Amino acid sequence: MIVADAVTGVDPLGFADAHLSAPARAALVTLRETLERNVAPLLADAWETATMPTAILDALVPLDLMTPAGLDPAEADSSLFSGFRTYVLARTDASVATFYNAQAGLFRTAVRHGGSPAQAERWDAGIRSFRTRGTFALTEPDHGSDVARGLATTARREGDDWVIDGAKRWIGGAAGADLLAVFARDTADGEVKAFLVPTGAEGVQITPITGKISLRPMQNTQIALRGVRVGDDARLARVNGWRDVAGLLRRMRSDVAWIATGLQAGALDAALAATTARTQFGRPVAGFQLVQEKLARMLGNLTASLGLVVQLSRQQDAGTYADENSALAKMQTARLARETVALGREVCGGDGILLDHDIARFFADAEAVYSYEGTHEINALLVGRALTGSSAFV
């Protein structure tokens, strides 16, 4: 019989046992138990009200998930450990994973790898402890997939300061952040630069985006930047063009594939719980042939996705970062996630659209994961270019 693994849930090929140390697995078990005890009970109401309860961050911060006690620093900093951490978070809820990764992934990576060594040293301890909260502000109202060429936010040098004008959209976690990592085009040389902008700076206006049908607890925002002035020490020193931004994104794209994989695990958990508990025609729904076929396909999708992201992270930890590989992982896991959550919703019947049964959250959230941080089509073109040697971008 396939039994649930303490770290990853249903994992018939034993990926966590094969690739993580005992201290790493222990840290993830503690995370899973904390999520089940302190976070999961809050999620239905958080989704209904489109709010992120402060109790969620209060439960996660003391775990020190970026540098867990007893874990070798190199493993704690690895793509493999952070991937499994993301997986466990997303298995509980995609918004919680996205919310945590806005700090631990996007913002921390921007500062550590986009800033100078001195800037990284200055900010990293506060970022790890959440004493300094930040987010990554790249996407704009009119520029998502084409942001590399179309970035419209500008920065101009005035003496010792920079003045930033423009707008950002879909920026998660900005309302509770202290700093925004804002990407803007230098009017002098046309190159993209990055700046740490305080959310309380004059000229910064942050407006929550309402009316979402996916990732509802995650607070996405639109940000207006009107004549915002920051000193030159706020400029991240190692971001001097789009090539540098692409390097940051290359490090982070695998996180989304891990979210898409963890989301499938949560959907399978929910579907198994619902179908084994519900009785129809005198027997548990899970005992019917067609239901078992759908559950088996869900497990197949999940296991294939997990194998893909594990190998991608192992490759990155060995020093190989290839756009086409991370694009392939994001494209495939997000596509499979769509199918997996649909199968889960289907076997739950009418209950599948109710928040009480969890599958409804995963079903809706898969749509956002399918599109954010690289749409299916853009990732497919990255893979296609590497496969054929011919670019289809226009």
Side-chain angles (χ1 to χ4, degrees):
M1 181 176 180
I2 296 175
V3 296
D5 172 81
V7 175
T8 57
V10 180
D11 180 13
L13 300 187
F15 289 110
D17 283 343
H19 297 291
L20 294 175
S21 69
R25 295 197 302 273
L28 294 174
V29 169
T30 299
L31 171 59
R32 177 184 59 78
E33 292 172 346
T34 300
L35 290 166
E36 291 175 355
R37 181 179 60 250
N38 301 114
V39 175
L42 306 175
L43 292 175
D45 185 65
W47 213 93
E48 184 80 65
T49 59
T51 58
M52 182 65 73
T54 57
I56 291 178
L57 196 57
D58 291 343
L60 295 178
V61 169
L63 301 181
D64 194 18
L65 295 170
M66 293 180 234
T67 51
L71 187 58
D72 181 89
E75 185 174 15
D77 203 34
S78 69
S79 176
L80 196 60
F81 176 75
S82 66
F84 272 108
R85 180 185 68 207
T86 296
Y87 177 97
V88 174
L89 288 164
R91 180 185 168 200
T92 297
D93 187 74
S95 282
V96 172
T98 304
F99 177 63
Y100 188 86
N101 277 6
Q103 174 89 358
L106 291 163
F107 184 67
R108 189 181 184 213
T109 297
V111 175
R112 289 180 75 200
H113 298 285
S116 67
Q119 287 174 318
E121 183 178 0
R122 174 188 175 189
W123 294 108
D124 196 55
I127 294 171
R128 292 197 315 269
S129 67
F130 280 79
R131 291 193 307 272
T132 300
R133 289 175 58 183
T135 194
F136 191 90
L138 174 63
T139 306
E140 299 182 346
D142 297 322
H143 300 287
S145 295
D146 74 340
V147 72
R149 297 179 182 177
L151 190 77
T153 299
T154 62
R156 67 181 187 275
R157 188 73 182 264
E158 288 189 359
D160 294 332
D161 292 340
W162 291 85
V163 180
I164 303 171
D165 290 283
K168 300 294 179 179
R169 185 166 173 81
W170 294 114
I171 310 306
D178 303 299
L179 295 171
L180 308 170
V182 173
F183 294 82
R185 195 174 301 281
D186 186 346
T187 57
D189 61 11
E191 297 291 349
V192 177
K193 309 288 171 62
F195 305 85
L196 295 181
V197 176
T199 53
E202 185 177 354
V204 176
Q205 182 180 6
I206 299 173
T207 305
I209 296 172
T210 60
K212 295 191 301 175
I213 64 165
S214 187
L215 295 179
R216 286 175 56 78
M218 182 61 190
Q219 299 298 294
N220 295 100
T221 62
Q222 176 144 330
I223 302 172
L225 303 149
R226 300 185 181 93
V228 178
R229 188 176 291 271
V230 296
D232 189 54
D233 61 347
R235 187 176 76 82
L236 294 177
R238 285 186 282 183
V239 178
N240 294 295
W242 181 257
R243 183 183 298 273
D244 300 320
V245 181
L248 300 178
L249 296 174
R250 191 176 299 120
R251 290 177 174 272
M252 296 180 287
R253 190 172 285 121
S254 61
D255 288 349
V256 191
W258 278 98
I259 289 177
T261 305
L263 183 150
Q264 293 180 67
L268 180 57
D269 289 341
L272 283 170
T275 56
T276 54
R278 182 169 171 78
T279 298
Q280 291 287 281
F281 303 102
R283 61 190 298 185
V285 170
F288 289 97
Q289 290 180 346
L290 292 177
V291 171
Q292 289 195 358
E293 187 274 342
K294 291 176 174 60
L295 293 172
R297 284 166 60 193
M298 294 176 73
L299 178 59
N301 287 349
L302 166 60
T303 305
S305 296
L306 192 53
L308 183 56
V309 292
V310 164
Q311 186 58 24
L312 174 66
S313 284
R314 292 184 68 208
Q315 184 184 71
Q316 291 180 340
D317 287 335
T320 300
Y321 289 85
D323 284 338
E324 60 270 21
N325 291 345
S326 54
L328 177 64
K330 198 280 177 176
M331 179 192 79
Q332 184 70 353
T333 57
R335 186 184 68 81
L336 290 177
R338 250 183 165 185
E339 178 180 90
T340 300
V341 299
L343 290 167
R345 207 286 315 154
E346 188 175 341
V347 298
C348 291
D351 287 343
I353 67 168
L354 296 176
L355 292 174
D356 291 346
H357 296 274
D358 292 334
I359 189 65
R361 287 186 290 108
F362 296 111
F363 179 73
D365 288 345
E367 285 302 301
V369 175
Y370 183 72
S371 293
Y372 77 178
E373 293 194 39
T375 64
H376 175 85
E377 292 77 13
I378 291 296
N379 281 307
L381 292 180
L382 289 170
V383 175
R385 182 175 64 188
L387 188 63
T388 67
S390 177
S391 177
F393 286 95
V394 294

